[in-house]
Amino acid sequence: MRLKSAVIPAIFAIMQIMPNNTAWAQESAGGSDTRIFDSRFRSLQILNADNFMGMPVVRLGSDDRLVITFDELGDDRSWLQYRLIHCNSDWKPSQLVESEYLDGFNIADITDYAFSSNTYVHFVNYRLEIPNPDMQPLLSGNYLLQVFQQDNPDDPVLQARFSVSENVAAVKGEATSRTDRGLNTEWQQLNLAVSTPGLNLRSPMTDIIVVASQNGDPARTRTILRPQQMRGRDLIYEHVQDLIFPAGNEYRRFETVRANYAGMNVDSVRFIGNNYHAWVKRDFSRSGQPYSFDQTQNGRFKIDEYNSTNPDLGADYITVHFELSHPEITNADIYVDGDFASGRLTGTNRMRFDHDSRSYKLEIPLKQGSYNYRYVALPKGGRSPADASLIEGDKHETRNEYRIYVYLREPGSRADRLLGTAQLFNR
């Protein structure tokens, strides 16, 4: 076991793995996505307390809980607080006042924290549960949780999305490779039926909003404002062009649960300077290759350390080296993407092309654990969305996760209600 007193002071290790704060803030400022604004903070997760693969949703009036965890690099804790912002289906703030959607004051302290144990890179781990005695949502809808320094409430250090559902709408459907663009090609299509038993909706054809996303990817999220038809009391969404998605491919995986041992898909590990480094096995394009099944977590990551009883505190930060063997793409940048990046494409996860090896490379500090990742291309100028198809390909067999949200927006209302959610996997 390593002792803190026996290692090089943590400040040097932190300086080695921390990107420039100013650049990070400039690239990340604005918007309502789940993201980190301050590079001292890492490993943000918002998880269903009872189901690792569950959606970040709690049912109104139930015992459901969401757990939000994150780290701050360094030896000292910060005095952190948080607030909740009620949002509509498009994640823009609703017109409700705080007393309407919250039981309690809308600023509370984060008091559950602990210091890392026996790690080369020192950090403070913070933990927060929603709902809690200090703050309980009263209404359904989308919520944005913002964390900030006590003395600087206007400058969040991070934020995370979650939702509260009334659980009064039932969603049935399928994700299939039988699509309006062909059978078993590079597409998958959603066919849905939404029912709202017990609700007397005045105009269901115009007041119901359905939002569907593939693997929680903001770039593959679709908003449907009108069903195709009503069948009895069910709203039917079939043969809807906006519910046809590129099939994608299974996420790639690697593990760093042991710092001194090459885990799954890791070629080698070494201790360099002030922390461990791990080299993921060289990757290649899969766009022209046959489909290969793998059981993945659809982009998620799990913090883990084989010898620790509490991985949140015992897992160290390892510099992970990625390499993608691919000719240089002059009109696009390549990024390593996954939930660990919170859907953000910034300088932190952008790869550089190495002319000597003729490959793309990236070094990024990640907490020990099991990770899903993929390679995405973003056209220069950012005028088009990021695309995983160029490197990963689109295979109709891919087992994707589709998240469905059903909202009610009645004329004259000041907020969208979330009637129900569903989680579907293609067959």
Side-chain angles (χ1 to χ4, degrees):
M1 298 291 289
R2 301 190 302 271
L3 300 177
K4 287 186 177 181
S5 60
V7 301
I8 297 173
I11 186 65
F12 295 107
I14 295 166
M15 290 175 63
Q16 182 186 37
I17 68 173
M18 184 182 294
N20 178 269
N21 258 349
T22 303
W24 181 290
Q26 288 174 346
E27 291 179 334
S28 301
S32 62
D33 296 335
T34 294
R35 65 176 75 174
I36 295 174
F37 298 105
D38 188 327
S39 62
R40 291 174 300 169
F41 294 85
R42 299 295 178 88
S43 303
L44 171 63
Q45 288 186 295
I46 180 164
L47 301 172
N48 188 300
D50 300 316
N51 181 7
F52 175 76
M53 291 294 291
M55 296 166 57
V57 178
V58 294
R59 294 168 297 173
L60 195 65
S62 72
D63 293 329
D64 295 347
R65 294 173 300 118
L66 296 176
V67 177
I68 299 95
T69 63
F70 56 90
D71 295 335
E72 180 182 12
L73 301 181
D75 290 299
D76 299 320
R77 65 158 292 197
S78 292
W79 297 94
L80 298 177
Q81 296 181 316
Y82 68 98
R83 58 174 164 251
L84 298 182
I85 300 172
H86 189 274
C87 298
N88 288 320
S89 59
D90 57 4
W91 289 97
K92 294 180 180 179
S94 70
Q95 298 178 13
L96 299 177
V97 297
E98 295 172 351
S99 59
E100 292 180 283
Y101 63 81
L102 281 181
D103 180 12
F105 294 104
N106 196 14
I107 290 184
D109 296 327
I110 298 180
T111 58
D112 190 349
Y113 66 92
F115 295 92
S116 59
S117 175
N118 298 314
T119 59
Y120 283 97
V121 177
H122 297 180
F123 59 87
V124 184
N125 177 257
Y126 299 88
R127 179 185 174 92
L128 173 66
E129 289 190 0
I130 296 290
N132 60 58
D134 294 325
M135 204 172 291
Q136 299 186 45
L138 296 174
L139 299 178
S140 69
N142 292 336
Y143 285 82
L144 184 67
L145 180 146
Q146 291 187 327
V147 176
F148 50 89
Q149 302 278 358
Q150 188 179 63
D151 58 354
N152 193 8
D154 296 328
D155 191 14
V157 300
L158 58 86
Q159 61 189 24
R161 290 178 171 186
F162 71 93
S163 301
V164 176
S165 170
E166 296 179 23
N167 203 34
V168 294
V171 180
K172 297 180 181 179
E174 63 175 357
T176 175
S177 60
R178 300 186 303 274
T179 78
D180 294 341
R181 298 183 185 179
L183 172 65
N184 295 343
T185 59
E186 68 268 30
W187 306 101
Q188 292 178 358
Q189 184 164 346
L190 286 178
N191 297 309
L192 304 173
V194 176
S195 60
T196 55
L199 287 181
N200 186 21
L201 301 179
R202 288 180 291 182
S203 183
M205 289 290 290
T206 58
D207 294 350
I208 294 294
I209 300 172
V210 171
V211 176
S213 70
Q214 184 189 78
N215 301 323
D217 184 355
R220 295 190 178 183
T221 297
R222 312 288 172 77
T223 299
I224 311 300
L225 300 178
R226 190 178 181 88
Q228 183 197 42
Q229 60 175 299
M230 285 194 70
R231 190 178 298 157
R233 294 181 60 87
D234 290 351
L235 301 175
I236 305 301
Y237 300 81
E238 294 177 348
H239 307 290
V240 178
Q241 289 296 306
D242 280 347
L243 292 180
I244 301 176
F245 295 80
N249 206 337
E250 306 292 354
Y251 279 81
R252 305 173 193 249
R253 296 190 295 159
F254 73 91
E255 290 185 354
T256 55
V257 295
R258 293 186 63 168
N260 60 350
Y261 176 81
M264 182 183 63
N265 287 333
V266 173
D267 188 61
S268 62
V269 294
R270 280 187 289 167
F271 188 85
I272 301 176
N274 304 305
N275 67 313
Y276 275 98
H277 290 238
W279 280 262
V280 177
K281 292 181 179 179
R282 177 182 287 203
D283 287 317
F284 299 87
S285 172
R286 300 189 293 178
S287 62
Q289 301 300 314
Y291 170 77
S292 179
F293 172 77
D294 191 13
Q295 186 69 48
T296 74
Q297 288 72 50
N298 301 104
R300 293 171 174 83
F301 68 96
K302 183 177 183 180
I303 302 302
D304 197 10
E305 205 283 331
Y306 86 107
N307 199 36
S308 176
T309 57
N310 187 348
D312 283 340
L313 305 181
D316 212 337
Y317 276 85
I318 292 177
T319 301
V320 179
H321 298 251
F322 295 92
E323 183 173 4
L324 171 66
S325 182
H326 195 283
E328 184 176 13
I329 303 171
T330 57
N331 61 348
D333 292 315
I334 304 299
Y335 295 80
V336 180
D337 182 44
D339 280 7
F340 69 87
S342 299
R344 301 293 297 164
L345 305 180
T346 70
T348 304
N349 58 334
R350 183 171 59 236
M351 308 188 80
R352 60 177 177 83
F353 186 75
D354 181 73
H355 290 275
D356 293 334
S357 62
R358 296 193 57 78
S359 62
Y360 284 90
K361 294 184 178 181
L362 173 69
E363 300 175 9
I364 183 171
L366 296 174
K367 200 171 182 179
Q368 284 180 265
S370 303
Y371 285 80
N372 283 193
Y373 70 101
R374 62 180 181 173
Y375 295 103
V376 301
L378 180 66
K380 291 186 183 295
R383 289 182 292 272
S384 300
D387 181 22
S389 302
L390 179 65
I391 306 297
E392 305 295 357
D394 290 299
K395 316 296 180 183
H396 68 85
E397 303 96 332
T398 304
R399 183 172 168 80
N400 288 304
E401 171 191 347
Y402 291 92
R403 301 177 183 181
I404 317 300
Y405 297 78
V406 179
Y407 299 91
L408 174 63
R409 178 183 293 173
E410 295 180 305
S413 63
R414 293 183 295 118
D416 295 344
R417 294 166 56 187
L418 178 57
L419 302 183
T421 64
Q423 191 176 27
L424 303 176
F425 295 87
N426 69 291
R427 297 188 298 181

